[in-house]
Amino acid sequence: DLSTGIIYRRRIATCQNVIPEILRKVSVLKVPNIYLEEESWLNLQERNMAMKTRCLTWTQYASLSEESVFRESLENPDWTDFIQKGRISVTGAGFLNCVLEAFAQSFLKKGVKK
């Protein structure tokens, strides 16, 4: 956007399905790829970037989203403050709801630590 200087991007990512084989016995989980939509807003003037990601696969059964902000630290302009929020909700999978939510939460926590 020439008036604001903000660079907007919207992308679709293809990720390998990392759900354990034992859970893939359920036919709906037996897909080779998971698709994510990522939107980002980069503001070079204010030196920050906001991102939103959501899962496009299994939307009738689960909702997975994440929001991140990268901005210049107030303590030191050479540092970056990183703020991240995520939400996971599984419905329509019966007794597997809580198992799938626990797996997704564990997987995402490992990713955050990286």
Side-chain angles (χ1 to χ4, degrees), residues 5 16 18 24 28 39-40 53 55 59 66 69-70 77 87 93 96-97 106 110 114:
Q16 183 179 352
V18 295
R24 289 195 215 181
V28 76
E39 292 181 282
S40 65
T53 306
C55 186
T59 55
E66 179 254 337
V69 175
F70 302 83
R87 287 182 279 298
L96 286 177
N97 286 356
S106 170
K110 287 178 188 173
K114 286 182 184 179

Side-chain angles (χ1 to χ4, degrees), residues 67-85:
E67 296 178 17
S68 301
V69 175
F70 302 83
R71 66 177 179 220
E72 182 180 299
S73 173
L74 297 175
E75 292 180 48
N76 182 335
D78 293 330
W79 296 350
T80 302
D81 287 335
F82 172 59
I83 302 160
Q84 185 178 44
K85 296 180 208 172

Side-chain angles (χ1 to χ4, degrees), residues 2-103:
L2 295 176
S3 65
T4 64
I6 295 174
I7 299 169
Y8 170 77
R9 288 194 175 110
R10 180 177 173 260
R11 303 186 274 196
I12 305 296
T14 303
C15 304
Q16 183 179 352
N17 186 352
V18 295
I19 292 179
E21 279 298 320
I22 189 126
L23 294 177
R24 289 195 215 181
K25 302 285 186 217
V26 178
S27 63
V28 76
L29 299 177
K30 195 173 186 168
V31 296
N33 298 309
I34 298 170
Y35 299 97
L36 304 172
E37 177 186 62
E38 176 187 271
E39 292 181 282
S40 65
W41 297 263
L42 175 61
N43 187 327
L44 294 172
Q45 283 182 304
E46 295 183 13
R47 295 179 47 116
N48 65 45
M49 182 172 74
M51 294 177 68
K52 288 185 180 183
T53 306
R54 68 183 184 102
C55 186
L56 299 175
T57 306
W58 304 308
T59 55
Q60 70 273 35
Y61 302 106
S63 169
L64 184 136
S65 63
E66 179 254 337
E67 296 178 17
S68 301
V69 175
F70 302 83
R71 66 177 179 220
E72 182 180 299
S73 173
L74 297 175
E75 292 180 48
N76 182 335
D78 293 330
W79 296 350
T80 302
D81 287 335
F82 172 59
I83 302 160
Q84 185 178 44
K85 296 180 208 172
R87 287 182 279 298
I88 302 165
S89 175
V90 179
T91 57
F95 71 94
L96 286 177
N97 286 356
C98 97
V99 173
L100 293 171
E101 283 180 3
F103 170 76

